[in-house]
Amino acid sequence: MILLLLALSGVEGQDWPGFRGPNQGHADAHPPVEWSETKNVAWKTAVPGRGRSSPVLLGGKIFVTRAIERGVVRKRIGPDDMQTAEHAAVGAACLDAATGKILWDVTLREVDAPDPVHWFNSWATPTPAVEPGRVYCDFGGVGTWCLDAETGKVLWEKVIPMDHQVGPGSSLLLHEKKLILVRDGRQEQGVLALDAATGDPLWKTPRPPIEASGGNAKKSFSTPILADGRIVATGPHWIAAYEPSTGKEVWRLKHGPGFSIGSVPVAAGGTVYFSTGCMRPNLLAVKADGAGDVTSTHLLWRSQKGIPVMSSPLLSGGRLYYVSDEGIATSADAATGSPLWQERLGEGHLASPILASGRVYFFGREGKTSVFKATDTAERLAENKLDGPLIASPAAVGKALFIRTDTHVYRIEGPKTNDQ
């Protein structure tokens, strides 16, 4: 009976209800080591429009956000390589995880001449969060929606205007019936909570003051995490922890002048590890038991070797695994930050890696995935190629890896055996 139910649902093991899954990129899963466009692809489904949000899964269903664009032009705006559009229809889609069939696709808002976004970004980049019966979708200043997970029907919507400068990027954290949002824009920076049932605001906490003359150095795009019962969110120049019930700031640490941070922290054993964004990224470890300004008391170490701006680290077995935007993969000692090994992967990386079955999966921008053993020495097991671009961070559930490129969602899985 159990095997039958698993076969019907198409998914074994844990769900993947938000960005980086239920355990900071660790997957209770056994995906294949090798694949290509013609090998170990259970299905491949084209999704309307484009989006760089990561897929989330619950109860045998996959949820993604998307934007159907018209008149996209790449151009230089100020210091950034940007894209503009005549029109973007933002929305969400639900797919059956077993078959790849699109169960529903809804447009939530039609936007004429949407604000420009960075070329690495999209008009649908923040990753949704899902719980039984509901899926929460965020498009930054365009709006935040709660949808019925079965039908896509809108249950509530909320618009919180924000000047992101290069488009939205922070994903949602769903915790204790609250949606936690990071809104570190060009003009205003803060962390806020909405009531997940209604969308009503519960609290909003400004970020620590920033000593920067230009808005470009004030924006950021990290996603909050839960660490030791606190909300921890990296922001421009500072990282801070907040009480989930009230939003009260508990501690803060000034990490430097870093900004435009896409990387999401990881935490374990009372320590938070995070990177600091542009211009030169650093990786820091901070003790998470402080109060007030802990800049001079709780910093454990700092590293500048091959650190990502956008991709998030993994933490396992006393080791950190991460990959720089330029494609240098690193395993480092979590106690000291000292690299154990470094390898060039051959293309840029923006997606966050996954740990599954004792293996680390690094996902390149052009569709190449490099698979390594999670050890103190570099042992590359495979290089796998799909038709990119691949910007979204994949999900791993059961024996499958769910990869979202700009145009398709894939279910990567080895052949079935007789006992499946």
Side-chain angles (χ1 to χ4, degrees), residues 335-382:
T336 65
S338 299
L340 302 170
W341 56 259
Q342 290 190 309
E343 290 284 313
R344 293 189 178 274
L345 303 184
E347 64 184 54
H349 283 62
L350 299 179
S352 296
I354 285 174
L355 180 73
S357 290
R359 302 184 289 263
V360 181
Y361 293 72
F362 296 104
F363 305 97
R365 276 171 39 195
E366 305 306 319
K368 182 173 77 171
T369 299
S370 302
V371 185
F372 285 78
K373 274 193 174 183
T375 62
D376 287 345
T377 57
E379 184 175 346
R380 195 177 318 210
L381 301 175

Side-chain angles (χ1 to χ4, degrees), residues 45-51 64-68 93 95 102 105 404 406-407:
T45 299
V47 176
R50 183 174 69 103
V64 295
T65 56
R66 53 80 175 153
I68 298 175
L95 292 76
I102 296 178
D105 175 71
R404 195 245 181 113
D406 271 12
T407 56

Side-chain angles (χ1 to χ4, degrees), residues 172-251:
L172 298 167
L173 173 64
L174 179 60
H175 175 62
E176 293 182 344
K177 301 181 180 179
K178 299 179 185 67
L179 282 179
I180 312 298
L181 294 84
V182 170
R183 288 290 193 263
D184 289 332
R186 174 161 43 180
Q187 304 298 334
E188 182 181 1
Q189 302 82 39
V191 179
L192 59 120
L194 303 180
D195 186 322
T198 64
D200 294 336
L202 297 174
W203 53 256
K204 181 178 180 180
T205 304
R207 289 296 211 171
I210 297 173
E211 299 171 3
S213 58
N216 186 61
K218 296 182 179 181
K219 67 183 190 300
S220 196
F221 312 97
S222 189
T223 296
I225 66 166
L226 188 69
D228 295 326
R230 306 271 171 67
I231 303 297
V232 177
T234 315
H237 301 222
W238 295 85
I239 186 172
Y242 308 88
E243 289 288 356
S245 58
T246 65
K248 178 183 177 182
E249 183 186 290
V250 179
W251 58 259

Side-chain angles (χ1 to χ4, degrees), residues 9 79 170 196 223 309-310 384 419:
S9 70
S170 302
T223 296
V309 173
M310 297 298 171
N384 307 302
D419 60 348

Side-chain angles (χ1 to χ4, degrees), residues 273 283-286 299-303 320 332-338:
Y273 306 85
L283 183 67
L284 279 68
V286 56
L299 179 64
L300 297 175
W301 53 257
R302 178 189 298 259
S303 176
L320 288 161
D333 185 338
T336 65
S338 299

Side-chain angles (χ1 to χ4, degrees), residues 127-149:
T127 295
V130 62
E131 63 179 350
R134 291 185 166 211
V135 57
Y136 304 91
C137 304
D138 185 52
F139 299 87
V142 171
T144 306
W145 281 264
C146 174
L147 308 180
D148 183 289

Side-chain angles (χ1 to χ4, degrees), residues 60-114:
K61 294 183 174 67
I62 303 169
F63 303 90
V64 295
T65 56
R66 53 80 175 153
I68 298 175
E69 307 158 348
R70 184 175 72 242
V72 176
V73 176
R74 183 174 182 172
K75 61 174 63 176
R76 192 77 174 176
I77 300 178
D80 295 306
D81 198 6
M82 304 287 285
Q83 51 188 325
T84 62
E86 296 175 2
H87 183 85
V90 300
C94 173
L95 292 76
D96 183 274
T99 66
K101 178 183 178 181
I102 296 178
L103 302 176
W104 52 256
D105 175 71
V106 296
T107 292
L108 300 173
R109 179 152 293 152
E110 303 272 359
V111 186
D112 288 325

